[in-house]
Amino acid sequence: MTFIVHPPRGWRAHATAVCMGAALLLGACASPSSTPSASAVAGTSGLAMQAPTISVPPTSVGTWQELGYFQAPWLAGDAPVPVNGATALTRVAGLRRDDGHWLAIVVVQQAPGAVAECPAVNELHIAELGRPGNGCLRARVDADFDGWLKQQHSVLYQWLDGRGWTSRPRAWISTRVPDAAGGALESHVLVDTRLMEPTTRNNIDFLTGGQPAIAWVMRFAAATRAADGGVLQVPPFPFAPSLVAAPAVPEAAPPAASAPAKAEQVSPSPVVTPRPPAPAARSDRQ
């Protein structure tokens, strides 16, 4: 096993390549290959073989939901695909905030008996793989910056967006490994970046803030390699800050006191003095 060690930098600030049976690029995309308590989120299928089930970690923000089991197109768009049409065995789970905002979407796909090579190396420093067939690991911090996800993984982008599972900001992590049946297993995570990065207050925080994210990505890659035919154990995200909580609903303001009625000035009615009765007619003039 070989590592390339760079000076610690935030995963936003530097593209880091790591080989641990996989290659990681943070902030860009591509990598090589040779030929590869949690509560369980269950699914059902009439197929003899299924994609791994997804087991999710506890969370203090939002609720994990099973989003279904599908036969779908192969969703990665940066390398050859092992299936034709919508035939890839696919399972999806999501972490949703109470206000409907998706904090994370996890997708796992399996193509039994069909080989899918990893993307070609693209301007990366890659250490030698310990042995062939270990697979590849890629990540991008801001997946939607400059339309990157839509351009590079348009099938994934459209497939999720068409089901209402799109929220931003989000990072993209994906790992592809060979399965025991000579096929391919690939997982994707689209996750709110605030679950992966700490709040930075100074240069030291910024330069070291990417280390928890790198550790999480490596754990997720290991979980994918171990999920063949079983369960994908999603590691707990490094952070669950209050920033990802739903905005507080402002309390209803007390009803405004009605303005006092404006007094209307009324002029008093004039006093009318009754006229005295007319004197009786004189009898000598009748």
Side-chain angles (χ1 to χ4, degrees):
M1 240 178 270
T2 307
F3 293 81
I4 292 181
V5 180
H6 298 278
R9 299 188 184 181
W11 73 320
R12 283 187 179 279
H14 185 72
T16 303
V18 181
C19 255
M20 185 178 178
L24 168 64
L25 171 63
L26 296 171
C29 166
S31 125
S33 169
S34 297
T35 335
S37 151
S39 58
V41 179
T44 58
S45 172
L47 300 173
M49 186 170 185
Q50 300 182 8
T53 56
I54 300 173
S55 179
V56 297
T59 179
S60 59
V61 179
T63 304
W64 280 101
Q65 299 177 12
E66 176 196 351
L67 298 180
Y69 186 79
F70 308 88
Q71 283 189 282
W74 196 257
L75 298 176
D78 58 347
V81 299
V83 299
N84 294 320
T87 58
L89 310 179
T90 305
R91 202 179 301 270
V92 189
L95 175 60
R96 192 177 195 183
R97 204 166 59 186
D98 294 342
D99 64 349
H101 178 85
W102 290 102
L103 297 171
I105 298 291
V106 180
V107 180
V108 60
Q109 293 193 289
Q110 191 153 20
V115 175
E117 296 183 355
C118 282
V121 178
N122 181 16
E123 298 179 357
L124 289 178
H125 299 289
I126 302 296
E128 292 183 5
L129 293 173
R131 59 185 176 83
N134 277 337
C136 53
L137 172 62
R138 298 98 70 210
R140 187 176 176 93
V141 179
D142 188 346
D144 294 290
F145 177 74
D146 205 21
W148 182 87
L149 185 68
K150 188 174 183 179
Q151 295 174 19
Q152 298 296 324
H153 297 276
S154 60
V155 178
L156 174 65
Y157 181 93
Q158 300 291 350
W159 196 80
L160 294 176
D161 192 58
R163 288 162 174 76
W165 298 339
T166 298
S167 296
R168 301 178 186 182
R170 55 185 173 173
W172 168 81
I173 301 101
S174 181
T175 185
R176 180 181 295 193
V177 296
D179 65 20
L185 178 68
E186 184 157 31
S187 58
H188 299 269
V189 177
L190 288 161
V191 55
D192 192 305
T193 55
R194 292 168 294 185
L195 290 173
M196 304 293 285
E197 299 177 323
T199 301
T200 57
R201 298 178 178 84
N202 53 53
N203 288 342
I204 299 300
D205 287 349
F206 177 77
L207 294 174
T208 61
Q211 297 307 311
I214 293 173
W216 186 91
V217 169
M218 299 305 296
R219 290 177 64 193
F220 180 73
T224 301
R225 289 194 296 271
D228 185 14
V231 179
L232 174 62
Q233 298 275 356
V234 179
F237 295 114
F239 302 98
S242 58
L243 287 175
V244 300
V249 178
E251 295 183 5
S258 56
K262 185 177 180 180
E264 181 180 354
Q265 273 194 320
V266 179
S267 302
S269 301
V271 178
V272 180
T273 304
R275 296 175 64 183
R282 292 171 53 177
S283 58
D284 61 342
R285 294 189 178 184
Q286 291 182 349

